[in-house]
Amino acid sequence: MVDQLISARSSRVVAFARAFLAVFLMLSVTFGSLRYADAQHVAQIVLAAYCVYSLLIAAAVRTVQLRRHLFSAALALSVIDVVALTGLMYLTQGGQQSQSAPFFTPLIFIIVSGTVNWGSRGAIGSGLLVLLLFLPTAFLGPSILDPAPKYLLQLFLMRIGYIGTITVMLAAFAGN
């Protein structure tokens, strides 16, 4: 089963998942409302670009020749995902530990795509990267150490646990 995950087919799976995620993130921002008006505008711009990029990659993997090139460029495509999704989280203040932080969960895509592309090493590497990128959000906005909003520390710790759990489970799955 792992051989199927780590193959040229992986570029197709990740490309279609990326496009699916991008389209629904764009729909959620278009038809929903973020906490701050500036965040809404920034999210729409970033997601429009990410959506176009994702759909172009999904179209490109339909041809065998381009799929081979994209498979060899998986690291570059993953870097774009990391920059776009973490940038979106930080630019929209979605990294803050508020309950309305919608751009935390797309970071899990980074871990899953790392697993599909590179197996257990990809799961561990991308999980650690996501964790390192998420940790600074503790210092944005209200401090998690401030005694007044105790739920902030709770949400922060839960999200770290979530990142760790997903990473360990995917690494174990890909290692078999």
Side-chain angles (χ1 to χ4, degrees):
M1 178 133 173
V2 175
D3 290 29
Q4 288 178 339
L5 283 176
I6 307 168
S7 67
R9 182 176 172 214
S10 65
S11 60
R12 258 174 84 182
V13 170
V14 172
F16 290 123
R18 178 187 296 112
F20 190 79
L21 174 67
V23 166
F24 278 93
L25 286 174
M26 186 68 192
L27 288 172
S28 74
V29 170
T30 301
F31 295 112
S33 176
L34 295 177
R35 192 171 172 184
Y36 306 103
D38 289 343
Q40 183 87 17
H41 184 67
V42 168
Q44 286 175 327
I45 292 169
V46 171
L47 283 171
Y50 188 67
C51 200
V52 168
Y53 152 79
S54 299
L55 292 170
L56 288 173
I57 296 298
V61 297
R62 295 183 58 92
T63 64
V64 175
Q65 295 83 8
L66 289 176
R67 188 178 320 134
R68 288 186 187 133
H69 292 298
L70 290 173
F71 179 68
S72 63
L75 181 60
L77 297 176
S78 294
V79 168
I80 293 170
D81 292 335
V82 168
V83 169
L85 296 175
T86 58
L88 190 62
M89 180 180 68
Y90 280 96
L91 292 171
T92 62
Q93 301 174 352
Q96 293 183 5
Q97 286 68 51
S98 68
Q99 294 171 337
S100 63
F103 296 111
F104 165 75
T105 52
L107 297 181
I108 302 307
F109 168 75
I110 296 168
I111 302 170
V112 174
S113 66
T115 305
V116 171
N117 282 323
W118 303 290
S120 61
R121 288 183 182 176
I124 293 168
S126 57
L128 288 173
L129 178 63
V130 166
L131 182 62
L132 288 173
L133 292 170
F134 180 70
L135 286 176
T137 64
F139 306 105
L140 298 176
S143 172
I144 62 169
L145 302 176
D146 186 1
K150 287 190 179 231
Y151 72 93
L152 294 177
L153 178 59
Q154 178 187 19
L155 285 172
F156 183 72
L157 293 173
M158 287 173 59
R159 289 176 177 171
I160 289 173
Y162 186 54
I163 292 167
T165 302
I166 294 290
T167 300
V168 169
M169 290 178 69
L170 288 173
F173 171 74
N176 288 332

